[in-house]
Each structure stands twice: as C-alpha cells, then as structure tokens.
Amino acid sequence: HYFIQSNLRMDPCPRALLLVTLLSFIAISEAQQKSFDWEFTGTLSGPVVERDVTFSESRRSIFNLKCFCESSNEDDYVQFNLIEASTYKSLVSVNQQCVVDELVYFSHPHIFDGTYKLQIYGNSGIKYSAELILNTTDIDIKDQKGSSTFQVPKGEMVVKSFDVTDDEIRSTADWTYIQVTAESPDKFIDPTKTSEDDKRFVGKLIVTQNAEELQTFFMNPDAVISGSIRLSFSTFGRLTISNASNPILASGTWIVAVMVHPSTTEKVTYQKRVSVSVNIVTDYSYAPGIGILFLVSLLGIFIPVVSRLIFDAGNMNFTKFQIKYWFITIKTWVWSGHKGMTYFTTLLAALLIVSAYQVAHAKYREMMTSGNRDTCYYNEKCYRPYGAYYDVSVNGISSNLPFMVQGIIMVLYFSFAEAYCRSNNHKHFDYTIPYSFGLAFICEGFGSLIYHICPSQIIFQFDTLFMFVISIISVIAIYDGYSIRENDVRYSTIAKHKSVRSAKVFAFFIGPVYFFNFIGNLISTEGLPIPFIIVFYVIFFIWWMFILAWIAYKLDLFPDSWNPQHIKELDEVVEVDGQDFASQPKVSSVLQHSLAIRVTLFTLYCVLIVVCFVMTLLGKLPFSIFILGMLVIAQISLTLIFFIPLIWVVLKFFYKLPVNIVYTKLQLSQHLLVTVGMFLYVLISCGVTALALVFFTTFSVTDKSIAPYKSREMNGECFLNDFYDTHDFWHLFASFGLMLVTLLCVQISKPCRDCYLRYCTKQDDNMRRMTHLLKRRQTEINAKALGISVVPDEEEDGEKVQDVTPVNGGDKQPGEEDNEEKVKRSRSPGFENPNYSQKEKGAAVEEVEEDGGGGNEPDASMV
C-alpha cells in the first residue's frame, strides 16, 4: 500500500498493472496460507470446560494449539484435548504444567470439516489461555511436482504437507526418491549486509510422517528425532526421501515444517521468505553414468605404453618376452623377492582402511539415527541415493572408480615390465616402488569412497589417507633413481647416499604424518585445550625441521665437513673412481647446474612451508590441506631438481640430431617421439593436474571447514547425464594427472638398471657415431678449403675413416706442408683458414670443448 501511494504519479496503465499484480499475489498468498484463529481465556470453575469450534475446508489443514496456565501451586497442571464432536476422536492431547512457559502442539494434517470441541481439564481457580490456529498445509502434486511459498515469522514454525500414492513410488521400486527443497532469498539477518562473514538468517527444515515429532522439533531443532530427517539452511536446503532413508519412502501424508529458531533471530524484526518444492523422481538408472566413467577410466591403459615409448624407447623389443616369466613374476611377488615398500603399503592399507570405514560408518549411523543431515556434508543438489541399500550419494561413491581402475592397470603394467626384464635375463631390477604406486592408487580409491559415505572435516583425513602415501613414495622414487641400491652398487656411479629403506619411510615419515594430521583435524573441528595445542604445534615444528634437515642432507646441501659420507668411502664400496668421474667436463657441468637448482628450490620450499604454517595457525588453511600441499609441492620440487638436468643432457644430445638423421639414416619418428614427446608428456601432466585442482578449488560444491548451511550455499547441480558434479570431475582428472606424474617418477627412479644402462649405451653409441661423423664432415670441409681430396682407407668401429691425398697425385712440393700435417692441423680448433669466419671458428672450438677435447666420451649413466 505504501509503495502504491508513493507512486501515484505513475501513468494509469502501469499503475493498473501494478495493482492487478499485487492483488493477485495477495490472493495467491491467502489461498496458500489460509488460517483460522480462535482464542480462549478464563478461570476454571469446574473440572471440565468445553469450547466448540466449527470449521469447513476442503483442503488439508493442521491444528496448532498454543496453551498456557497460571496457578499458585507449582504442582497444578491443565489438560487440553481437541476432539471431533461427532466421534470424540482425539486430535491433540496436551498436559500443560502451570510452571512452564507457553507450549505449542500440532495435530496431524487432515481435511477438517465439521464441529470440534476443545476440552480443558484442571482444578478450580486455575487461569488458562488457549489459542487454536488452523492452517491449510496442502502442497498440490501435479506431474510429480509441487511447491508452496510462505513467510516464517520470528520464533514460529510453518507446516506443509503433501500426499504420495503407491502408484507414484512403487512403479520403479528401488529407483524412486522424493526431493523436498527449501529456498530463501533472505541470506543475511541484516538485509543490508552482503559480506560472506556476516551472520546468516538460518532456517530449519524437517520432513516426517509423524506429527508428534513436530513438537520436539519446535522446542529443540537440534534434538535427536528418530524417524525424521532435517537440516539447516540459509538460502538452500534439500532433503531426499528414498528406500534407504530414515524415514523410508512410503505412501501417505508427508509433513514438511520450516522454522526460524528464536535463539538465532533475537534481533530480527522481519520474516524469512521460504519456498518449499516437492519433486518425485522415478525411473532413474545409474548404470549408464557408472559405465561411461568405467570406460573413460580404461583410457589409462595407454598412459604406461606412451610413457615407455617416450622415456624407455630402447627397451621395446618384446620378441624375447615369454608369458611364463609373467607367472614367475606373480609367484615371486607373493612368495619371495624384495618387495619391502609394497608389503608395507599393503599392511598400511589393511590397517587404516578398516579403521577408516569403522569411523566413517559410525558417523553415518549417527546421522541416520538422529536424522540430522548437518552431520555429513553432501552436495544436496546432486544427491543420488543408492537404491534401497545405502542412503549415500552413489555418484560421489562411484566417481572414485578411476583411482581403482588405474591402480590395477599400473600393477599389471609393472608386472609385465618385470617379466620383460626376466625374459631378457636382466639381473638388477627392483619394482617394489612401482608396485607400491599401484596399490596406493587402489587404496586411495577406497579411502575416498569411505570419506564420501559421510563427508565431514574429521573424516576428510581418510580421503587424504593415501594421497600422503602417493606423494611420499613419489619423493622416495625420485631419490631412489640417484641413490645406491643394495643389489646394484656397481651401477651407481655418482650416488653418494644409499636408497631410503621402506621401514624408515613408514616409521619416521608416514606414521608421524598420520598422527599430526589426526590431531590437527581434532583441533580444527572439536577444539582442544590451549596448552595441548601449543605443545602439539611445538612438537610438529621440531619434527618438520628434522625432516627438512634430512632432505637437505640427502640433497647434498650441507658443506662437505658436515657430510659424514665422503667420496673415498664411495670408492671403497662401489669400486669406482668417484673423483675421476665427477671431474669429467659434462658431469661437472650437470652437477653444477643441479646444485644451483637444488639450492633454489629447497629455499623456496622452506619459505612456502613457513607461510602455509602461519596460515594454518591463523585458521585460514585446514591442517589436512597444509600437510597434503607440502607433500605435493615436495614431489614437484624434487621432480624438477632431478628432471631439469636430465632435460639439459637430452637436449645436448639431440642438438646434433640433423647430422645423425642424414648420415646414419635413423628413424626420424623415434627422435621426435623422445624430444617432443618428453616435453608434451610433462606439459600434459601439469595441465591435467592443474585442471583437477581447478575443479577441486574454484568449482568446489562443499566446504567442510564452515557451517553446514554455508556449505549448502555452494552446492551445484549435476551437469553430466544428470549424475556427476564438479567434485566428481576432480576425482577423474586427479586420477589421470597423478598417474601421469607417477609414471614420470617411476622413469626417474629407474626400477631396472639393466634396461636403463642398455638404453643409455645404445644412445651413447649413437652419440659416438654422430661425433665421428661430425669430425669427418669437418675434415672434408677443411680439406676442400685446402684443395686436397679425402678418401677412405680403413674402417674403425664399423665406419670409414677418411684419409687425404693431394690433388696432384701426392708429390710433395718444396715448401709445402705434408698433407697429413694439413689435415691434422685442419682438425684442430685453432685451424687458420682465411675462408673461415670468426663465427665458424668459434663454433668449431665450442664443439670440440663440448666433446671434452676429443678424448672424453659421454658416460652412459649421465645420458
């Protein structure tokens, strides 16, 4: 009315349209919220007082009885009964103690038509007050959908109801469920506020078939109410009733109630606008969505093949491969062999997954028993219950399938790789770390599956359970490729440290990580005494400094005087001349570059740890995310530390690629696959991992570190076959990204030293051949400039070595140099030829210097 008065100067047509619109809205609101109110007050003059109420309405309604009594005797009470006048059937029966504040009771939704009696029993002289409100509650279901919009006053509760028939819910048995959604535009208590930190205007939603539970819910919305489901919301909330929910899906009348609790709205003077909608979903099939995800997961079969083609192209000859060696490999893996890391991973999985399931299932049963959906953080907009078996999101469960499938693929691939080594009579191979990767992938799938049974902050540690293991094993695998192993010390030429034992990894790293992660999550969720928290963080800081010092020692960042192991001891162990090897020009250059990279990345890593640790102390970063982030960053840093020098060596090798192609007729495709494929592989790995992180952070649909009603504001709809959400795509891309990075770490770890050295030896032969061809080509150019011819006279290493003869037949003229002397001088970097530019001379000098003066051939292990 005020709005119309303030706009009287509007044109007649818009004004009339506005009036019609407002009147229509008022009519609709009154039709939806039609109510009748009777008030009775007085003093009891006898044991019984009766009041008649006549009501006629064709729509389903509910009686709301507010009662109060006052007496000087604290033991007095008054009984209020609402009955049908004709049948004396009781609708509401209340025993109100006179020392208790006003109570509110609700009848079961019913079509009330006729006369009803309110009977009041009590001792004479007791003052009483009764207010009887009759509200229509019908939500009409048409085409399996219905909705109702209403206002919820401060401290009040609005009740709605709808009917479901047997035909609607039994047509598809287990694959039917009902979605009850509550939405509100009133997000904040103060409507002028827009900051996400401002206090929310929180409502409570409950769905039940028992009207008696409404009283308990009204008095205490957080009480344990068996046989109902409820949640809190600010702008969005949805409850799903299925054959696995509690209450179970059944025909009949369902009651929906929305209230705003007085304790959260003490300063609120306006009402919360709420729209409740009901949607019945039938004939839904989960098989296509799960089947598509399984087929996409099988694409992981090509990743190990491509990885081997790029990083291990010299070991692709499977003509000697025999399937019997694969069965021998399986037998050896089970009954014998060195598989320490694999066995520890299996033991850890057996212990932790069972414990994780017990905790998650207990949390889930707590939610089912209490009916409080705030216990678990689901994406309610994309919640698909698992038939009649489990009231969990089957799409969130099944989206962990890629981790399991790709873990099985990796285990099978590494078993065939080990069988290949046995078929070729290799002696020095150890696939314990690669097998651990495969098992950790499978266990990560199970850990994430368990977490999605009841997603919450305290259960999140089980989702990251084997993410920790994968990250730690990746770090150990990269370091293992450049360390001394017990069974092949003669093949480790430049390593100064032994490989890390699996027992130490689990005892000093994985075990403490799980302990600190568990306590950190308790501090974030439940809260602990301040002295305990201080002691915890001090111990955690000391442990982390110890780990950093150990990493610095393993990366040779300490001065030699601090390092307890010296090169002389290395000479005694592996029987190689470490000093002589390290003094070679190419090795010294690589070690020099590697040291600079190690120092830079280690320093940045330490700074990042300090920053993230401070953010964790301030509550800006969950403890589990801090631990996982530090491990992932350590994995990336260590990959760069050992992979960048490797790229440099490979580029130096393929710098002479054109001559190699022209003179030796080698296949161009192989070289392009190695050079271009290597960089593409790394770029794709980083791209897929980055895309997964974008889905996890930017497009997150829940946040377990905030209040449940705030988390539901982030919920997102399903968008792929109406089955998967963005978090499910995080699972998919994370599995592929981790698999790409893991296989790169496996290649750096060199599980088979024989395969690695044979491949490097083959490439070393190619390099020597190219060096020889380049020298011969330079000789031809120099000889042509001197006017002499070059003819082959003998073979060396399968190649013709050029000799030179004078053009005039070989007679040496007075004052002329001997042709052999000219050629010898022409091969030197200081050859003086007026036809050569300074640029060409510089290139020749650089080329000879790169070849180590012509006397030092590249070492196989450095290639």
Side-chain angles (χ1 to χ4, degrees):
H1 180 65
Y2 170 79
F3 179 76
I4 295 174
Q5 284 184 335
S6 62
N7 291 276
L8 289 177
R9 295 183 180 180
M10 295 172 58
D11 293 334
C13 185
R15 193 188 319 161
L17 180 61
L18 176 62
L19 285 171
V20 172
T21 303
L22 290 176
L23 291 174
S24 301
F25 173 76
I26 293 171
I28 293 173
S29 299
E30 288 182 351
Q32 290 182 341
Q33 295 186 238
K34 186 175 181 180
S35 64
F36 297 86
D37 193 348
W38 297 268
E39 291 187 9
F40 306 98
T41 59
T43 303
L44 291 174
S45 58
V48 180
V49 173
E50 289 189 353
R51 296 288 186 267
D52 292 337
V53 177
T54 303
F55 176 73
S56 178
E57 175 64 34
S58 59
R59 304 184 62 181
R60 186 188 296 106
S61 306
I62 188 171
F63 270 117
N64 182 356
L65 175 61
K66 298 180 179 179
C67 50
F68 174 77
C69 66
E70 182 179 355
S71 175
S72 58
N73 188 355
E74 295 182 355
D75 296 329
D76 285 342
Y77 69 92
V78 175
Q79 183 178 3
F80 296 86
N81 289 335
L82 179 64
I83 63 174
E84 290 186 9
S86 59
T87 63
Y88 284 86
K89 178 181 178 181
S90 177
L91 301 177
V92 178
S93 181
V94 178
N95 288 327
Q96 172 72 37
Q97 287 187 340
C98 295
V99 294
V100 180
D101 294 335
E102 181 182 68
L103 295 181
V104 181
Y105 296 88
F106 301 88
S107 69
H108 193 81
H110 185 69
I111 298 178
F112 295 96
D113 185 7
T115 301
Y116 302 87
K117 291 182 178 293
L118 178 62
Q119 298 177 337
I120 306 173
Y121 297 85
N123 296 328
S124 299
I126 298 177
K127 295 180 179 180
Y128 68 89
S129 172
E131 182 179 5
L132 191 61
I133 304 173
L134 190 65
N135 291 310
T136 56
T137 63
D138 255 349
I139 299 178
D140 295 328
I141 305 297
K142 295 181 180 179
D143 297 328
Q144 299 180 331
K145 293 183 179 180
S147 63
S148 177
T149 303
F150 48 86
Q151 303 276 348
V152 183
K154 172 185 177 181
E156 298 290 341
M157 182 169 67
V158 176
V159 180
K160 296 294 178 181
S161 62
F162 61 92
D163 276 338
V164 178
T165 63
D166 288 332
D167 294 336
E168 289 176 322
I169 65 173
R170 299 300 180 188
S171 58
T172 52
D174 295 343
W175 309 116
T176 299
Y177 56 88
I178 300 176
Q179 296 173 330
V180 180
T181 305
E183 295 178 291
S184 173
D186 301 326
K187 184 175 183 179
F188 302 103
I189 290 181
D190 186 349
T192 62
K193 302 295 185 179
T194 58
S195 174
E196 291 300 318
D197 296 330
D198 291 325
K199 194 172 183 180
R200 297 298 201 277
F201 196 3
V202 180
K204 299 282 186 175
L205 172 67
I206 186 173
V207 176
T208 182
Q209 282 192 303
N210 187 359
E212 296 177 358
E213 296 176 349
L214 296 179
Q215 171 62 24
T216 306
F217 177 70
F218 181 78
M219 298 303 298
N220 182 10
D222 297 323
V224 176
I225 308 174
S226 179
S228 66
I229 49 178
R230 66 188 187 278
L231 55 75
S232 60
F233 70 96
S234 57
T235 59
F236 170 83
R238 176 178 290 171
L239 294 172
T240 303
I241 309 169
S242 68
N243 288 294
S245 64
N246 183 23
I248 193 171
L249 180 63
S251 60
T253 301
W254 285 89
I255 304 172
V256 180
V258 179
M259 72 165 296
V260 179
H261 199 271
S263 62
T264 61
T265 59
E266 293 176 355
K267 299 181 181 180
V268 178
T269 58
Y270 65 97
Q271 300 175 336
K272 186 175 181 65
R273 293 165 293 172
V274 178
S275 175
V276 172
S277 60
V278 178
N279 183 30
I280 302 176
V281 181
T282 59
D283 295 328
Y284 193 87
S285 177
Y286 302 142
I290 299 177
I292 291 173
L293 185 65
F294 176 74
L295 293 177
V296 173
S297 303
L298 290 179
L299 295 176
I301 295 174
F302 299 100
I303 297 179
V305 177
V306 173
S307 174
R308 192 175 183 93
L309 283 173
I310 294 174
F311 297 100
D312 201 9
N315 293 288
M316 294 297 293
N317 183 13
F318 290 95
T319 56
K320 295 182 179 180
F321 179 81
Q322 299 181 28
I323 192 64
K324 69 176 183 179
Y325 288 103
W326 184 76
F327 291 103
I328 294 175
T329 299
I330 300 300
K331 178 182 177 181
T332 304
W333 191 91
V334 176
W335 281 282
S336 62
H338 179 66
K339 298 292 186 298
M341 187 71 74
T342 308
Y343 295 151
F344 270 105
T345 304
T346 306
L347 178 62
L348 186 70
L351 295 177
L352 294 183
I353 288 182
V354 173
S355 302
Y357 179 76
Q358 291 174 342
V359 175
H361 186 73
K363 198 76 172 177
Y364 167 78
R365 294 308 307 173
E366 176 187 343
M367 179 197 71
M368 295 295 292
T369 303
S370 65
N372 188 3
R373 300 284 289 190
D374 288 346
T375 304
C376 304
Y377 288 63
Y378 298 108
N379 178 16
E380 304 291 355
K381 286 187 179 180
C382 189
Y383 184 84
R384 301 293 181 263
Y386 183 44
Y389 305 102
Y390 232 4
D391 190 18
V392 296
S393 180
V394 66
N395 48 335
I397 297 292
S398 62
S399 63
N400 296 285
L401 189 63
F403 282 104
M404 304 179 193
V405 172
Q406 291 171 11
I408 294 173
I409 291 173
M410 292 173 65
V411 171
L412 291 176
Y413 164 70
F414 293 133
S415 67
F416 281 106
E418 184 174 353
Y420 172 86
C421 297
R422 296 180 186 277
S423 301
N424 289 272
N425 199 29
H426 294 177
K427 301 297 184 183
H428 304 89
F429 56 87
D430 183 4
Y431 281 86
T432 179
I433 291 179
Y435 284 130
S436 301
F437 276 123
L439 290 175
F441 264 68
I442 297 173
C443 296
E444 171 57 29
F446 279 107
S448 183
L449 182 151
I450 291 171
Y451 161 73
H452 283 85
I453 292 176
C454 182
S456 59
Q457 183 66 27
I458 193 65
I459 307 295
F460 181 68
Q461 58 184 314
F462 302 123
D463 188 21
T464 57
L465 202 63
F466 281 89
M467 283 289 188
F468 295 158
V469 176
I470 293 173
S471 301
I472 295 172
I473 295 179
S474 298
V475 173
I476 300 302
I478 296 171
Y479 179 79
D480 189 68
Y482 292 87
S483 59
I484 304 173
R485 296 178 187 166
E486 294 181 356
N487 61 342
D488 61 349
V489 292
R490 297 176 183 272
Y491 287 78
S492 303
T493 53
I494 62 171
K496 294 184 179 180
H497 303 282
K498 292 183 179 181
S499 58
V500 183
R501 296 178 181 271
S502 56
K504 292 183 178 179
V505 173
F506 283 85
F508 296 107
F509 206 90
I510 295 181
V513 161
Y514 282 140
F515 171 76
F516 290 126
N517 183 49
F518 175 73
I519 301 299
N521 276 283
L522 282 180
I523 294 174
S524 302
T525 55
E526 306 296 333
L528 294 174
I530 298 299
F532 182 87
I533 295 176
I534 295 174
V535 172
F536 166 76
Y537 279 118
V538 169
I539 296 175
F540 174 75
F541 181 78
I542 294 173
W543 172 81
W544 199 260
M545 291 300 101
F546 168 77
I547 294 299
L548 290 178
W550 177 80
I551 293 174
Y553 165 70
K554 289 295 185 180
L555 293 178
D556 292 327
L557 300 182
F558 289 139
D560 292 338
S561 59
W562 295 9
N563 196 331
Q565 193 168 4
H566 302 287
I567 294 180
K568 291 183 179 180
E569 297 177 2
L570 173 70
D571 298 341
E572 297 173 0
V573 174
V574 300
E575 300 179 359
V576 297
D577 191 353
Q579 293 282 7
D580 178 68
F581 184 82
S583 65
Q584 295 185 20
K586 292 195 174 187
V587 177
S588 299
S589 179
V590 171
L591 293 178
Q592 181 180 0
H593 286 76
S594 178
L595 179 61
I597 294 171
R598 292 199 302 269
V599 172
T600 302
L601 292 179
F602 183 77
T603 303
L604 293 175
Y605 181 66
C606 293
V607 173
L608 190 60
I609 284 180
V610 173
V611 173
C612 293
F613 184 67
V614 173
M615 293 178 62
T616 304
L617 291 177
L618 297 176
K620 302 295 183 181
L621 190 66
F623 197 84
S624 293
I625 298 297
F626 165 67
I627 294 290
L628 182 60
M630 293 302 97
L631 293 177
V632 172
I633 295 173
Q635 175 187 355
I636 296 173
S637 302
L638 203 61
T639 303
L640 294 176
I641 287 174
F642 288 105
F643 191 66
I644 290 178
L646 177 64
I647 294 176
W648 182 81
V649 174
V650 172
L651 287 178
K652 297 290 288 184
F653 169 68
F654 285 104
Y655 172 74
K656 304 173 182 180
L657 177 63
V659 177
N660 190 19
I661 296 173
V662 172
Y663 285 91
T664 63
K665 311 298 182 184
L666 294 180
Q667 296 180 359
L668 177 62
S669 59
Q670 178 182 356
H671 295 280
L672 291 179
L673 180 65
V674 174
T675 52
V676 179
M678 180 183 296
F679 290 101
L680 286 179
Y681 185 93
V682 175
L683 289 176
I684 292 174
S685 302
C686 296
V688 174
T689 305
L691 183 60
L693 292 175
V694 168
F695 276 109
F696 180 73
T697 56
T698 306
F699 299 104
S700 179
V701 292
T702 57
D703 187 352
K704 289 79 180 173
S705 63
I706 59 179
Y709 50 84
K710 288 185 179 181
S711 177
R712 292 189 179 96
E713 296 172 3
M714 306 169 58
N715 287 177
E717 298 285 355
C718 301
F719 62 91
L720 180 63
N721 195 30
D722 195 28
F723 191 67
Y724 293 112
D725 59 14
T726 53
H727 187 77
D728 300 325
F729 274 81
W730 144 251
H731 291 164
L732 178 64
F733 286 105
S735 64
F736 278 100
L738 276 177
M739 188 178 190
L740 288 165
V741 174
T742 294
L743 289 173
L744 177 60
C745 295
V746 170
Q747 292 298 332
I748 296 177
S749 72
K750 300 182 277 291
C752 180
R753 294 288 170 91
D754 285 357
C755 290
Y756 172 72
L757 291 180
R758 292 186 185 191
Y759 171 68
C760 291
T761 302
K762 180 179 179 180
Q763 301 302 326
D764 189 43
D765 292 340
N766 291 339
M767 183 179 289
R768 289 182 176 138
R769 188 182 302 110
M770 286 191 298
T771 304
H772 175 72
L773 292 173
L774 284 171
K775 289 181 179 180
R776 188 177 69 180
R777 180 60 176 166
Q778 187 65 45
T779 302
E780 292 176 353
I781 295 174
N782 295 343
K784 184 177 180 180
L786 294 174
I788 57 179
S789 62
V790 181
V791 296
D793 57 355
E794 61 182 4
E795 295 184 359
E796 180 180 336
D797 293 333
E799 296 287 346
K800 297 279 185 179
V801 178
Q802 310 298 328
D803 199 1
V804 295
T805 57
V807 178
N808 58 8
D811 297 333
K812 182 178 180 181
Q813 301 297 329
E816 290 184 354
E817 290 182 296
D818 184 73
N819 287 331
E820 294 182 0
E821 296 294 330
K822 289 184 178 182
V823 173
K824 182 177 180 181
R825 187 165 60 88
S826 68
R827 292 176 177 174
S828 66
F831 173 68
E832 299 294 337
N833 186 356
N835 296 326
Y836 278 37
S837 63
Q838 292 296 325
K839 182 178 180 180
E840 292 172 328
K841 293 178 182 179
V845 173
E846 182 180 358
E847 178 185 345
V848 174
E849 288 177 351
E850 290 177 355
D851 291 334
N856 291 329
E857 295 294 345
D859 187 84
S861 62
M862 289 310 302
V863 177

